[in-house]
């Protein structure tokens, strides 16, 4: 959409320069200027409207600064320069399994722990989690969009290992 704004500015500049010179398009300079202005307005308006799907929230990011206000599902009016990052706030699952194609990660992702009597136990596990909508800006700012591999997986593996030694 930004590219369309640039095209509109170029058309507008052509309209102004055509009026100052004696070119074959100088009689149409006013029409060219109007078309340039319309292109700029339509592209700025379309870049300002963001649709957030159901079950998602949007977080606005402008030049590296994260806005703490979230965008709810539906149409939202934003600054045309803002990048909107969407987060799924529905309940998701993360499966750690020893079966090759069953888990969320390719290969053997089962948790191997030692029990209280020193025997190795292999645990297949599915964890249900969800992003709290009001915490989405903080997640983007502190963790990033790959929170699944950065937070969910390591914390689940650590907590399972910590608790499995008691059994």
């Amino acid at each position: 959409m930004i590219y369309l704004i640039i095209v509109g500015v170029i058309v507008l500049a052509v309209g102004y320069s055509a009026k100052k010179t004696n070119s074959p398009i100088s009689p149409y300079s006013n029409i060219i200027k109007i078309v340039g202005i319309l292109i700029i307005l339509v592209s700025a308006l379309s870049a300002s409207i963001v649709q957030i799907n159901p079950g998602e929230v949007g977080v606005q990011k402008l030049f590296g600064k994260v806005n703490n206000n979230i965008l709810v599902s539906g149409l939202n009016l934003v600054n045309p320069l803002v990048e909107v990052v969407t987060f799924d706030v529905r309940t998701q699952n993360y499966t750690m399994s020893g079966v090759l194609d069953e888990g969320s990660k390719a290969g053997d992702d089962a948790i191997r722990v030692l029990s209280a009597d020193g025997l190795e136990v292999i645990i297949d596990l599915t964890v249900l989690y969800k992003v709290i909508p009001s915490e989405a800006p903080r997640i983007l700012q502190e963790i990033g969009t790959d929170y699944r591999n950065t937070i969910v997986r390591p914390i689940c593996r650590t907590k399972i290992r910590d608790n499995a030694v008691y059994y």
Side-chain angles (χ1 to χ4, degrees), residues 2 10 20 28 34 41 57 67 76 96 100 136 149 163:
I2 299 296
I10 291 171
K20 293 180 181 178
Y28 305 107
I34 291 172
L41 289 176
V57 294
N67 189 342
N76 295 278
M96 292 174 259
L100 290 178
N149 291 320
N163 291 314

Side-chain angles (χ1 to χ4, degrees), residues 60-136:
Q60 301 175 57
K61 184 171 72 168
L62 180 64
F63 302 125
K65 184 176 184 313
V66 177
N67 189 342
N68 288 329
N69 298 329
I70 60 169
L71 303 175
V72 295
S73 61
L75 292 178
N76 295 278
L77 193 62
V78 297
N79 181 345
L81 300 176
V82 164
E83 177 187 350
V84 176
V85 180
T86 58
F87 283 87
D88 192 351
V89 293
R90 295 173 286 209
T91 301
Q92 302 174 56
N93 64 43
Y94 186 83
T95 301
M96 292 174 259
S97 176
V99 179
L100 290 178
D101 291 338
E102 186 175 290
S104 299
K105 195 170 180 141
D108 185 6
D109 194 29
I111 302 172
R112 288 168 170 59
V113 296
L114 293 176
S115 63
D117 55 359
L119 297 173
E120 183 182 59
V121 177
I122 299 172
I123 300 175
D124 285 358
L125 174 74
T126 298
V127 177
L128 297 176
Y129 67 96
K130 69 185 270 180
V131 173
I132 299 170
S134 62
E135 294 295 318

Side-chain angles (χ1 to χ4, degrees), residues 132-146:
I132 299 170
S134 62
E135 294 295 318
R138 190 170 75 89
I139 291 172
L140 179 64
Q141 189 168 9
E142 296 176 8
I143 299 165
T145 56
D146 192 24

